[in-house]
């Protein structure tokens, strides 16, 4: 028997080997049956093609065979690093199991054919030995590729984690800077007072009390941030408080920011006093975040105006805060993303302001809505319920 004839006989056997392999694994495991039902159309040419290549390789010269193995290694490494992403229903173990089964059917066929055709022992053992090496090499490089993929995934995950940590740290810094800026400003005012001839104790007291408030707010900013990260509520203790007391503080701080940014800030406070249950510092934080955003949006324009309209009608069960600015507004695509933590269009922004606002508002049982027209301005509406019995 001549080598070309033997090779031809073996090649002719390929469709049968493939069919036996599919029937065999499908009957062993339902998972494989479903897999081949779905993927047979492209698996068939791939598998039969590579069987052909393996048989050819068993008859090559030693040098040719080494080149073949090198190519096989590279191919299988790529398959290992991409296959499982494309075919997520199979595990690497499944792939090895399939390969093992295919090897078994190929070897059985080779043994049967070589015995039938009375192939001389040397050639017979070369074929069997080569097929063994070919299959082991393909398994080995497949696994190598797979491990490289896993390594890369672990590395990417680690990078993502690091960048998230960086973003979070930046977010913390941003949230801490607001109260720090106002503490610094009021300390300057206090120092000016102390240097002046006319010392107003009431003013001094007021400035100091704001500094103290801001330090408390620093403290709650840190716990708020942690609870945003942990998505856990119950940080600030709830209490009864009057709306005007919070609004007055918001007004003073907003005026202060407005001065800094050279924009105008106006506020309309309802005539009715309302008592609210919750944390006054949460309401303050939400409002100041929204006001700072509004001021960021208008300051670029020049004639910037930010207005806060607080409205409550007697007997109504909700209170409404509408923050209006005539700033740059937002495009629909920006508007769609503003709630995402870390979404920002500002160079030094963190994109955490609105995410924190939303979380705090929802915890108060309220809603937060934004309407915006690019080039015209933005209206942020904060509504939250108050019980009828809360009214005085
Ligand atoms: P940051 O202020 O750090 O950017 P925010 O969560 O507070 O993060 O806001 C996210 C983004 O929403 C801003 O970067 C800005 O593009 C947009 N935005 C928020 N408020 C306004 C507003 N009043 N006018 C225009 N754009 C706004
Ligand atoms: Mg902001």
């Amino acid at each position: 028997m001549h080598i070309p004839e033997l090779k031809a006989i073996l090649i002719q056997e390929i469709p049968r080997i493939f069919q036996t392999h599919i029937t065999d694994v499908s009957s062993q495991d339902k998972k494989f049956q479903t897999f081949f039902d779905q993927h047979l159309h492209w698996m068939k040419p791939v598998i039969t093609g590579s069987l052909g290549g393996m048989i050819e390789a068993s008859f090559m010269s030693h040098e040719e065979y080494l080149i073949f193995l090198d190519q096989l290694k590279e191919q299988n490494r790529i398959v290992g690093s991409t296959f499982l992403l494309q075919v997520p229903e199979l595990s690497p173990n499944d792939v090895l199991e399939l390969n093992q089964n295919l090897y078994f059917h190929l070897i059985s066929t080779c043994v049967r054919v070589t015995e039938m055709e009375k192939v001389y022992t040397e050639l017979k053992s070369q074929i069997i030995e080569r097929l063994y090496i070919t299959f082991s090499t393909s398994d080995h490089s497949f696994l190598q590729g797979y491990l490289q993929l896993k390594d890369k995934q672990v590395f990417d995950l680690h990078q993502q984690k690091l960048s998230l940590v960086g973003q979070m740290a930046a977010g913390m810094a941003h949230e801490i800077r607001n109260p720090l800026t106002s503490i610094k400003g009021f300390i300057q005012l206090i120092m000016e007072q102390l240097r002046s001839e006319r010392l107003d104790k009431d003013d001094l007291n007021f400035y100091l009390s704001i500094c103290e408030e801001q330090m408390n707010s620093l403290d709650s900013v840190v716990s708020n941030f942690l609870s945003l990260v942990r998505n856990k509520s119950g940080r600030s203790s709830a209490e009864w408080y009057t709306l005007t007391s919070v609004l007055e503080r918001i007004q003073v701080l907003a005026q202060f920011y407005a001065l800094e940014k050279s924009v105008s800030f106006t506020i309309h406070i309802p005539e009715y006093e309302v008592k609210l249950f919750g944390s006054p510092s949460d309401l303050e934080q939400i409002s100041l975040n929204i006001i700072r955003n509004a001021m960021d949006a208008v300051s670029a324009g020049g004639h910037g105006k930010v207005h806060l309209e607080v409205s409550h009608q007697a007997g109504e069960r909700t209170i409404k805060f509408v923050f209006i600015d005539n700033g740059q507004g937002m495009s629909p695509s920006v508007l769609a993303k503003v709630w995402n933590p870390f979404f920002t269009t500002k160079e030094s922004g963190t994109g955490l302001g609105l995410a924190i606002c939303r979380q705090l508002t929802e915890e108060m049982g309220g809603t937060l809505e934004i309407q915006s027209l690019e080039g015209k301005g933005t209206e942020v509406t904060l509504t939250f319920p108050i019980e009828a019995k809360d009214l005085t």
Side-chain angles (χ1 to χ4, degrees):
M1 155 125 289
H2 296 297
I3 288 181
E5 286 161 27
L6 175 61
K7 215 170 24 176
I9 296 178
L10 286 174
I11 302 258
Q12 272 167 20
E13 290 281 339
I14 290 178
R16 207 195 42 79
I17 297 174
F18 176 73
Q19 201 43 58
T20 330
H21 163 66
I22 301 293
T23 319
D24 193 11
V25 289
S26 299
S27 72
Q28 272 173 29
D29 200 325
K30 185 112 186 37
K31 171 175 61 191
F32 292 138
Q33 190 185 347
T34 335
F35 173 74
F36 282 114
D37 281 350
Q38 258 183 354
H39 299 288
L40 196 66
H41 59 286
W42 68 270
M43 288 297 287
K44 189 172 179 174
V46 171
I47 295 182
T48 50
S50 81
L51 283 178
M54 288 172 176
I55 292 173
E56 293 272 358
S58 304
F59 296 92
M60 285 173 176
S61 71
H62 185 66
E63 289 71 27
E64 281 174 330
Y65 183 59
L66 289 182
I67 296 170
F68 166 82
L69 277 186
D70 275 347
Q71 287 167 350
L72 185 77
K73 271 185 206 161
E74 187 52 22
Q75 274 167 16
N76 277 282
R77 209 185 43 71
I78 295 169
V79 171
S81 64
T82 54
F83 181 81
L84 295 168
L85 290 179
Q86 288 158 9
V87 191
E89 60 264 52
L90 291 189
S91 72
N93 243 346
D94 293 336
V95 177
L96 294 184
E97 206 178 308
L98 287 176
N99 223 12
Q100 189 64 37
N101 183 282
L102 190 62
Y103 173 66
F104 170 77
H105 289 292
L106 178 61
I107 283 288
S108 321
T109 306
C110 286
V111 170
R112 183 171 50 77
V113 170
T114 46
E115 263 165 25
M116 224 165 60
E117 303 293 336
K118 305 215 172 10
V119 175
Y120 56 97
T121 323
E122 224 169 275
L123 179 58
K124 190 174 147 187
S125 47
Q126 174 182 316
I127 296 170
I128 307 289
E129 195 180 309
R130 288 254 176 111
L131 285 178
Y132 174 75
I133 296 174
T134 304
F135 267 88
S136 321
T137 306
S138 102
D139 279 355
H140 182 254
S141 30
F142 168 80
L143 278 183
Q144 234 176 9
Y146 175 71
L147 289 178
Q148 274 168 7
L149 166 77
K150 281 286 140 186
D151 275 355
K152 189 175 175 311
Q153 283 175 339
V154 169
F155 179 78
D156 287 352
L157 224 75
H158 187 65
Q159 289 300 105
Q160 274 173 23
K161 245 196 211 163
L162 280 185
S163 101
L164 205 69
V165 168
Q167 283 170 322
M168 284 182 175
M172 273 300 259
H174 168 80
E175 296 296 327
I176 285 174
R177 200 173 289 141
N178 291 355
L180 275 186
T181 311
S182 44
I183 291 174
K184 195 171 156 197
F186 282 101
I187 285 178
Q188 274 162 5
L189 286 179
I190 292 169
M191 291 190 330
E192 269 168 34
Q193 272 275 336
L194 289 177
R195 277 197 294 268
S196 83
E197 319 274 277
R198 196 180 49 81
L199 196 132
D200 187 330
K201 266 193 166 178
D202 282 348
D203 272 3
L204 271 186
N205 251 326
F206 179 64
Y207 296 158
L208 282 170
S209 72
I210 290 198
C211 286
E212 194 185 9
E213 286 295 337
Q214 288 302 296
M215 301 222 187
N216 290 337
S217 129
L218 270 179
D219 186 49
S220 73
V221 159
V222 174
S223 6
N224 283 349
F225 185 84
L226 287 178
S227 76
L228 175 77
V229 172
R230 292 194 202 119
N231 200 13
K232 211 159 90 193
S233 59
R235 51 178 163 263
S236 326
S237 51
E239 56 179 309
W240 287 102
Y241 62 96
T242 53
L243 181 62
T244 21
S245 63
V246 184
L247 286 182
E248 274 162 12
R249 260 205 320 271
I250 292 175
Q251 188 174 10
V252 172
L253 290 167
Q255 298 286 12
F256 179 75
Y257 297 148
L259 256 168
E260 221 181 24
K261 294 251 172 195
S262 322
V263 300
S264 103
F265 175 76
T266 48
I267 181 168
H268 177 261
I269 295 178
E271 286 156 29
Y272 304 96
E273 176 62 290
V274 177
K275 268 194 174 173
L276 301 164
F277 190 73
S279 152
S281 72
D282 282 357
L283 179 58
E284 187 180 314
Q285 203 194 338
I286 298 169
S287 305
L288 290 173
N289 264 327
I290 299 172
I291 290 171
R292 287 210 77 129
N293 277 348
M295 290 182 182
D296 286 346
V298 297
S299 60
H303 307 284
K305 283 195 192 114
V306 177
H307 178 74
L308 168 54
E309 181 75 28
V310 185
S311 59
H312 168 73
Q313 309 298 322
E316 253 184 22
R317 297 197 167 201
T318 54
I319 182 137
K320 207 176 237 182
F321 290 65
V322 186
F323 303 81
I324 305 159
D325 71 63
N326 63 350
Q328 65 202 19
M330 289 174 250
S331 67
S333 76
V334 167
L335 194 55
K337 286 178 274 194
V338 287
W339 304 112
N340 296 351
F342 307 123
F343 172 78
T344 182
T345 55
K346 301 170 195 168
E347 217 166 88
S348 60
T350 62
L352 282 170
L354 287 176
I356 291 178
C357 283
R358 172 122 111 182
Q359 168 133 341
L360 293 179
T361 306
E362 280 172 5
E363 281 175 16
M364 288 160 89
T367 57
L368 195 53
E369 278 166 41
I370 301 186
Q371 281 181 318
S372 188
L373 270 180
E374 204 169 5
K376 294 265 182 221
T378 302
E379 220 178 274
V380 182
T381 308
L382 171 65
T383 314
F384 56 94
I386 45 170
E387 293 294 324
K389 64 176 171 17
D390 299 346
L391 304 177
T392 50

